[in-house]
Amino acid sequence: MRSPSEVVFFDDTIPALQMLQRIFKLFIVTNQQGIAEGKLTPEEVDGVHEFILGRLAQFGIQIEQVYCCPHRRADGCECIKPNLFFLQEAERAHGIDLRGSFVFGDHPHDVEFARKAGATGIYLLTGHGVKHCAELQADVPIAANLWEAASAAVKGCDIRKRPEELGDEITQAAAILRQGGVVAFPTETVYGLGANAFDAGAVARVFEIKQRPRFDPLIVHVADQAHAESVVSSFPEKAKALAQRFWPGPLTLVLPKSDYVPGIVTAGLSSVAVRMPDHPKALALIREAGIPLAAPSANPFGRISPTRADHVRKHLGEQVDMVIDGGPCQWGIESTVISLAGEEPALLRLGALPMDEVTRVMGREMRLNTNAAHPSAPGQLPQHYAPRTPLVLRKDAHWRPNEERVGLLCFRSPHASEGFAAVEVLSPTGDLREAAANLFAMLHRLDAMNLDSIVTEYVPDKGLGLAINDRIRRAIMSGVGAETERNYPG
Ligand code: TXA
Ligand code: MG
């Protein structure tokens, strides 16, 4: 190629390289025999390379180095592919682990080059097509395009150094995720049901297991800021300020989505929800898997969220490939969801974040859109978090429905608990944090007792109490109008 005007990028080049560079360092290794043959000048070749690097840089893609052999094969130079010269150079100068590396190329030399270095070569059909396929060994992976090759590398890579504290459990779970499996994992809010966010098939399984309607998008969980930026197309300043203050933590940001997050993750929306969970096992898992995890809460759709590994095992059990036990969740209530994808910032879900801190960072107060007919987030249906047992609001401190076996879920120690078959107290001392952490676990416990109904009450409507009351309200709504409830999935 003589001039930049001849360079053509495939549609998938940019997203594939963006995905790859989250995990890999990127290099170009090229043989340009035309230089030795006098058909091209070194300046022309440099000009093309500069153009390509500049274009990729516009998309945040950094190529560590372009290695170019200008000789003829007959010259017997050391640097022509498939000789290892440049790979060894990269190993030495950039600390590359060749055994964990990949070479993508459209010529059998590239695959041979990889094999000799102990790396994995993937043959691409985008260049010479099937022309050279017959020259390949039978076990050489062949990809239709760069995206397919990049996905395979990201799913199959096993190159990141394992932190010392990482147990076998995390390694095993990460391998399951890379192979398209589904793993339930702990976060500081509730347990999540995770799959590789780049693997539409794996994400489809999450929807099936949860019996979640496809119009309800998932949160993409990441382990660092760079990871987060790889799934969005822009990261506005306000979002950065929130992320800086609250990540890792119970903040979910809805931002414009990058093209290569599959539509199934975002239910076809042009925005994507991203969050960096604050749990050592969740972070270790995402890092070890090397991919962002699309994960909803690990409960059947519409039901109570899980705050213990046992809740997941009981309700989703066999369908999940693995459940990582991280003990009881610290917050017990989901993340706060804030959208910065629209014209105005919007609070889509109340959650574990302190809203006065959010107000301080945002420089303005944000209120939840409580219009039930038009939920602000697709998943914010008025009915949610439902126990199977009808949940009703306590009319006054002495009220009890006229039924045999009634449970009571109250905020502080109850004034009148006589006659109830079971009593759960969210926080005897009136601590809202303790109440949030106990809410779902206590609902799960009461729901397992075959009661006729459960009576509950609101907690003080301030701080975390706002999010707790939101959950209680939705759980009660689920029991209002038997028809609505019966038709409700999950
Ligand atoms: O704390 C949490 O956020 C937990 C843990 C596992 O991270 N996850 C969780 O996920 O609660 P899920 O799927 O149960 O709730 C995600 C909420 C839903 O209300 C969904 O509709 C909303 O986030 N959401 C996701 N993507 C969105 C988008 N692009 N635009 C608007 N809302 C979105
Ligand atoms: Mg949920």
Side-chain angles (χ1 to χ4, degrees):
M1 226 177 268
R2 192 175 303 280
S3 116
S5 62
E6 295 170 70
V7 177
V8 178
F9 288 90
F10 289 101
D11 285 348
D12 61 345
T13 305
I14 303 291
L17 293 180
Q18 283 176 330
M19 170 163 77
L20 284 168
Q21 81 166 4
R22 304 274 64 106
I23 298 170
F24 299 99
K25 285 189 175 170
L26 304 177
F27 297 86
I28 294 174
V29 186
T30 172
N31 293 352
Q32 295 292 342
Q33 308 186 49
I35 297 176
E37 290 164 2
K39 293 183 196 155
L40 287 169
T41 65
E43 293 72 32
E44 283 168 334
V45 170
D46 284 349
V48 168
H49 288 155
E50 256 170 50
F51 169 75
I52 293 173
L53 295 198
R55 185 66 186 283
L56 295 180
Q58 283 173 359
F59 293 92
I61 298 163
Q62 189 197 339
I63 304 293
E64 305 291 325
Q65 187 101 45
V66 179
Y67 292 120
C68 176
C69 163
H71 310 112
R72 257 183 299 242
R73 196 160 298 282
D75 297 342
C77 66
E78 248 188 300
C79 58
I80 201 161
K81 289 186 281 186
N83 292 339
L84 291 184
F85 185 80
F86 286 136
L87 286 187
Q88 285 162 345
E89 185 67 16
E91 185 177 39
R92 194 184 53 72
H94 296 269
I96 298 303
D97 168 13
L98 291 176
R99 278 163 307 124
S101 298
F102 288 79
V103 178
F104 304 145
D106 62 354
H107 195 279
H109 279 154
D110 299 314
V111 175
E112 169 68 4
F113 183 50
R115 196 189 53 74
K116 282 166 74 175
T120 305
I122 301 186
Y123 184 75
L124 300 185
L125 294 174
T126 41
H128 300 288
V130 292
K131 188 170 139 204
H132 294 290
C133 280
E135 300 157 43
L136 300 171
Q137 289 180 0
D139 61 349
V140 171
I142 298 176
N145 50 44
L146 187 58
W147 174 254
E148 200 173 294
S151 307
V154 165
K155 268 197 240 173
C157 74
D158 207 356
I159 58 155
R160 270 140 289 99
K161 299 253 175 333
R162 201 178 309 154
E164 294 320 316
E165 76 272 18
L166 227 72
D168 280 348
E169 186 188 37
I170 298 293
T171 318
Q172 209 186 330
I176 292 173
L177 287 166
R178 285 197 298 265
Q179 288 155 19
V182 173
V183 172
F185 62 97
T187 81
E188 81 283 25
T189 57
V190 300
Y191 276 72
L193 188 63
N196 177 357
F198 294 133
D199 184 338
V203 175
R205 259 195 74 210
V206 170
F207 279 90
E208 275 153 32
I209 294 172
K210 242 190 104 98
Q211 293 178 31
R212 178 168 172 135
R214 294 279 177 103
F215 60 74
D216 194 0
L218 308 183
I219 296 173
V220 174
H221 294 69
V222 296
D224 56 50
Q225 181 68 20
H227 222 176
E229 290 184 23
S230 78
V231 297
V232 305
S233 64
S234 78
F235 214 111
E237 284 307 314
K238 281 272 182 253
K240 283 205 175 122
L242 286 170
Q244 205 161 28
R245 171 65 187 82
F246 296 116
W247 277 357
L251 162 73
T252 294
L253 287 171
V254 174
L255 298 171
K257 133 188 197 313
S258 106
D259 286 344
Y260 61 97
V261 174
I264 186 171
V265 172
T266 62
L269 296 175
S270 58
S271 59
V272 62
V274 196
R275 133 170 159 81
M276 191 191 299
D278 186 16
H279 193 291
K281 287 200 179 182
L283 290 171
L285 178 66
I286 300 166
R287 286 205 187 100
E288 177 68 2
I291 39 180
L293 299 183
S297 50
N299 49 291
F301 179 67
R303 296 291 167 196
I304 312 168
S305 300
T307 56
R308 310 257 196 287
D310 266 358
H311 298 157
V312 184
R313 287 194 203 102
K314 183 167 167 216
H315 294 279
L316 300 175
E318 298 299 292
Q319 297 162 275
V320 182
D321 298 318
M322 185 170 168
V323 179
I324 299 176
D325 193 338
C329 297
Q330 175 200 342
W331 286 103
I333 209 152
E334 294 88 344
S335 61
T336 305
V337 182
I338 297 177
S339 170
L340 291 159
E343 280 180 10
E344 286 291 309
L347 173 63
L348 303 187
R349 178 173 73 184
L350 282 165
L353 282 192
M355 284 311 291
D356 44 358
E357 258 306 280
V358 174
T359 306
R360 204 184 54 73
V361 178
M362 293 296 291
R364 55 174 274 190
E365 202 176 327
M366 296 215 289
R367 285 184 188 286
L368 191 66
N369 168 7
T370 46
N371 184 346
H374 300 283
S376 45
Q380 288 300 91
L381 298 172
Q383 303 98 338
H384 213 127
Y385 312 105
R388 285 174 195 280
T389 318
L391 186 68
V392 291
L393 201 59
R394 194 172 199 187
K395 299 205 166 103
D396 62 57
H398 299 280
W399 181 78
R400 202 178 73 81
N402 199 9
E403 284 164 329
E404 259 194 25
R405 288 173 44 77
V406 180
L408 175 63
L409 176 67
C410 56
F411 177 42
R412 310 181 64 146
S413 298
H415 298 302
S417 58
E418 318 75 60
F420 286 98
V423 178
E424 295 277 4
V425 181
L426 288 170
S427 170
T429 58
D431 174 3
L432 287 169
R433 233 185 120 143
E434 185 183 19
N438 280 333
L439 175 69
F440 290 138
M442 289 181 171
L443 272 174
H444 273 289
R445 232 166 14 229
L446 290 169
D447 202 23
M449 293 182 68
N450 270 324
L451 300 166
D452 296 319
S453 64
I454 303 166
V455 170
T456 191
E457 63 191 11
Y458 288 128
V459 304
D461 218 10
K462 56 170 207 252
L464 257 187
L466 293 169
I468 299 174
N469 286 341
D470 170 82
R471 307 303 188 266
I472 293 177
R473 194 171 305 116
R474 288 173 207 274
I476 291 172
M477 290 283 277
S478 303
V480 178
E483 281 320 302
T484 332
E485 217 248 322
R486 290 304 148 244
N487 291 335
Y488 207 69

